[in-house]
Amino acid sequence: VRCCPYHHRPIPLPLLKIIIYNMHPDMNTLHFISISGRPSSGKDTQANLLVQQYSDAEVVSTGDIFRGASQPDGQYGKYYPLIEPFVRDVNQGSLLPDEIIVSIVEEVVREKIEAGLRTIIFTGFPRTISQLDEYREWLKRFENDFKVRSDFLCLAVLEGRSRHLADVRRGTPGVLAREDDQPQTVDRRLAVYREQTLPMLKKLAVEGELKIIRSNRDIESIHADADVYLSQAEYSPSVLRHSERQ
């Protein structure tokens, strides 16, 4: 334990290890953090807090990719021809086909790595067992050139909490309600989560790779738990696989 120079309070060892790691990032190591959870579980909020702790990180949100590719002149407009046939269904709560979103995400990630980023924080990816399997395959391809560390976090909230937070956004003056906060869209997204994402999370849990964080609490407590989990996961299965080949 060390003392914080500003508050003269002990810094917990797990947090101290994160600080030291981020002061001296290893350019030969790629760190992928996947944050899953029901709609309105706080994935984007926690990702944006985590990204501030890393000197070489960026958030990759499949929601942002979809919105940026929904128009030809959007941030990800070059993918518009791929997703245009599915825009209406996705806006109503469905997912993009696995092969399309996986190929787009891989290309986006490769571009960021080529630009020098070494920590990628995903929100809402992977979402299905098929996406998880393909994700693991391209992590193996990255292992040809890097050590690879991967972590999976799940922000656990009940369906009632998801519905409540969507209701709050729709009913709060001055807060811009999202299209996916409409009741019928929330119901559809929750059904898709049950049918497609929960089986993937159960698979990860059985394999011992999923860290579950109770997320019906304040933002700071959730973030503190994420810090602890990530500081403990120094030797992920993917890193060990890489080391065993040396």
Side-chain angles (χ1 to χ4, degrees):
V1 177
R2 298 292 186 272
C3 288
C4 171
Y6 300 104
H7 300 288
H8 304 289
R9 295 179 180 176
I11 301 175
L13 182 58
L15 181 56
L16 183 63
K17 289 159 71 177
I18 289 178
I19 294 171
I20 293 173
Y21 171 81
N22 291 324
M23 289 173 63
H24 304 283
D26 181 356
M27 295 303 289
N28 292 320
T29 298
L30 299 180
H31 187 188
F32 297 94
I33 303 169
S34 175
I35 304 178
S36 299
R38 287 187 171 91
S40 302
S41 59
K43 297 184 292 293
D44 290 330
T45 297
Q46 293 302 320
N48 288 328
L49 288 173
L50 285 173
V51 79
Q52 297 174 32
Q53 298 179 195
Y54 295 85
S55 61
D56 58 350
E58 192 163 322
V59 176
V60 174
S61 163
T62 52
D64 287 346
I65 290 174
F66 170 74
R67 287 183 286 273
S70 296
Q71 301 293 332
D73 58 350
Q75 180 183 359
Y76 296 99
K78 66 179 179 179
Y79 302 116
Y80 175 76
L82 286 175
I83 74 161
E84 190 274 334
F86 310 102
V87 168
R88 181 176 179 182
D89 288 343
V90 174
N91 283 333
Q92 293 176 348
S94 298
L95 300 179
L96 284 170
D98 289 341
E99 64 275 11
I100 290 178
I101 191 61
V102 169
S103 65
I104 292 175
V105 171
E106 181 177 9
E107 183 172 325
V108 169
V109 167
R110 286 191 178 278
E111 290 174 354
K112 295 186 183 302
I113 291 172
E114 289 172 2
L117 295 174
R118 293 295 180 263
T119 302
I120 305 295
I121 304 173
F122 296 111
T123 61
F125 180 84
R127 291 180 187 255
T128 69
I129 289 177
S130 175
Q131 289 181 21
L132 174 64
D133 291 343
E134 186 56 36
Y135 171 61
R136 284 171 161 168
E137 286 302 313
W138 52 262
L139 287 187
K140 290 178 183 178
R141 294 195 287 273
F142 281 126
E143 287 177 344
N144 293 325
D145 301 305
F146 300 93
K147 294 180 181 179
V148 177
R149 170 182 169 182
S150 61
D151 292 299
F152 296 91
L153 306 180
C154 176
L155 305 184
V157 297
L158 298 175
E159 288 192 1
R161 176 72 171 170
S162 291
R163 292 191 174 92
H164 170 71
L165 292 174
D167 290 343
V168 168
R169 282 194 294 268
R170 288 199 314 274
T172 302
V175 175
L176 181 62
R178 303 180 307 202
E179 185 173 355
D180 53 12
D181 284 332
Q182 299 307 311
Q184 64 274 17
T185 305
V186 172
D187 288 343
R188 175 59 182 157
R189 293 178 71 205
L190 287 171
V192 168
Y193 184 87
R194 286 194 303 271
E195 296 163 6
Q196 300 189 47
T197 304
L198 272 182
M200 180 199 75
L201 296 175
K202 289 178 180 178
K203 175 180 172 69
L204 286 168
V206 168
E207 295 171 349
E209 291 201 43
L210 186 66
K211 291 87 176 175
I212 300 174
I213 300 175
R214 185 169 55 85
S215 299
N216 58 341
R217 300 174 295 155
D218 61 275
I219 292 171
E220 292 76 14
S221 296
I222 299 167
H223 180 56
D225 280 0
D227 277 342
V228 170
Y229 278 131
L230 292 173
S231 69
Q232 293 173 342
E234 294 183 12
Y235 301 102
S236 72
S238 55
V239 171
L240 291 177
R241 286 197 302 271
H242 182 93
S243 300
E244 290 166 358
R245 293 203 301 268
Q246 302 305 308

